[in-house]
Amino acid sequence: MICKRCRAIQSQNTKRGTHWTCYHGDTITVLSGLPDNSFDAIVTDPPYGSGANTAAGRTSKSSEKYRNTGAKALPEILGDSMLPEAWRAMMQAAIAETYRVARPGADVVLFCDWRSYSEFIKILGAARFQIRGVAIWDKRNSRPTKNGFRAQTEWIISAKKTGTLKRDSDVYLPGVFSCQTLSTTKRHLTQKPLELMRDLIRLVPDGGHVLDMFQGSGTTGVASIECERGLRYTGIEGVKAYHELATERLTDASKRSQEI
């Protein structure tokens, strides 16, 4: 249970708009205060806790691991530059809470890279989510590797909570999504293209409630608000600068949707 002091702080740091809520705070703390069986889909891009092949590389600043040449400096990603044991404990607690707040039949769409894939599969399975498969994001433009493969892809894990959600119609998504990665225009170190998130949001039933417990710049929320299917969105972000950015983007997305 969330304590009274934490609940008061959480309330002060919460922003709301038409069909969306944005929390600024610790992911696990905020999740613990949300009711059971509340969300129809979890669509999130969590900190991978990787980004390098050595322990020193994994615990280095996210601004050093993910910043493109020539891009402006951006705030660090909370939870990314951690020792593997600490990162694993954090993700286990967050995913366990996510299972509780997900409705029966809710889909999970979770980004990862090849280094973190096996850990996420274990963590999701231990939390009782059913693993359904994996899709690929082809980033098109990416870093080359000398005498090796270009770092051109990220993985998208598909999982599900046991049960069935009511849908007006079935959805069939591809296994590969080809979308140009953002470079110097991004406002978050690992910001995903809006085009990509619009495709993934198609999994959410009309009128459904979407959760992104690692919100970042709020792209999942913008895609949800703009899709014109009556979706509701809740996001959680621990970095104040990114919380404010997400709030700004969600507010603008709501205004555009109301003008249509």
Side-chain angles (χ1 to χ4, degrees), residues 208-228:
H209 197 167
V210 183
L211 170 67
D212 184 351
M213 65 280 199
F214 297 101
Q215 177 176 244
S217 63
T219 306
T220 299
V222 173
S224 301
I225 297 301
E226 292 185 343
C227 75
E228 300 181 30

Side-chain angles (χ1 to χ4, degrees), residues 103-118:
R103 286 199 177 99
D107 283 295
V108 176
V109 178
L110 184 147
F111 282 87
C112 67
D113 65 1
W114 63 271
R115 301 179 188 90
S116 60
Y117 171 75
S118 61

Side-chain angles (χ1 to χ4, degrees), residues 112-239:
C112 67
D113 65 1
W114 63 271
R115 301 179 188 90
S116 60
Y117 171 75
S118 61
E119 286 294 337
F120 275 120
I121 290 294
K122 294 174 186 176
I123 292 169
L124 287 164
R128 294 174 289 163
F129 283 110
Q130 299 174 344
I131 309 301
R132 303 188 67 198
V134 62
I136 299 297
W137 171 33
D138 171 14
K139 300 187 284 186
R140 298 181 187 169
N141 183 34
S142 52
R143 297 189 300 271
T145 300
K146 185 176 181 180
N147 300 321
F149 299 122
R150 179 178 286 273
Q152 190 170 342
T153 62
E154 287 187 32
W155 298 7
I156 308 169
I157 297 174
S158 170
K160 182 180 178 181
K161 183 172 180 176
T162 303
T164 303
L165 282 179
K166 181 180 179 181
R167 297 178 182 273
D168 294 330
S169 60
D170 293 325
V171 178
Y172 297 88
L173 296 182
V176 177
F177 298 85
S178 183
C179 298
Q180 178 70 47
T181 187
L182 302 178
S183 53
T184 56
T185 61
K186 66 183 180 182
R187 302 171 71 183
H188 183 280
L189 286 167
T190 60
Q191 185 174 338
K192 299 299 183 284
L194 184 56
E195 175 189 359
L196 173 62
M197 303 316 297
R198 284 173 174 159
D199 280 340
L200 298 179
I201 285 297
R202 290 173 54 203
L203 273 178
V204 187
D206 291 356
H209 197 167
V210 183
L211 170 67
D212 184 351
M213 65 280 199
F214 297 101
Q215 177 176 244
S217 63
T219 306
T220 299
V222 173
S224 301
I225 297 301
E226 292 185 343
C227 75
E228 300 181 30
R229 293 195 292 113
L231 300 187
R232 291 168 293 150
Y233 170 78
T234 294
I236 306 171
E237 175 55 44
V239 178

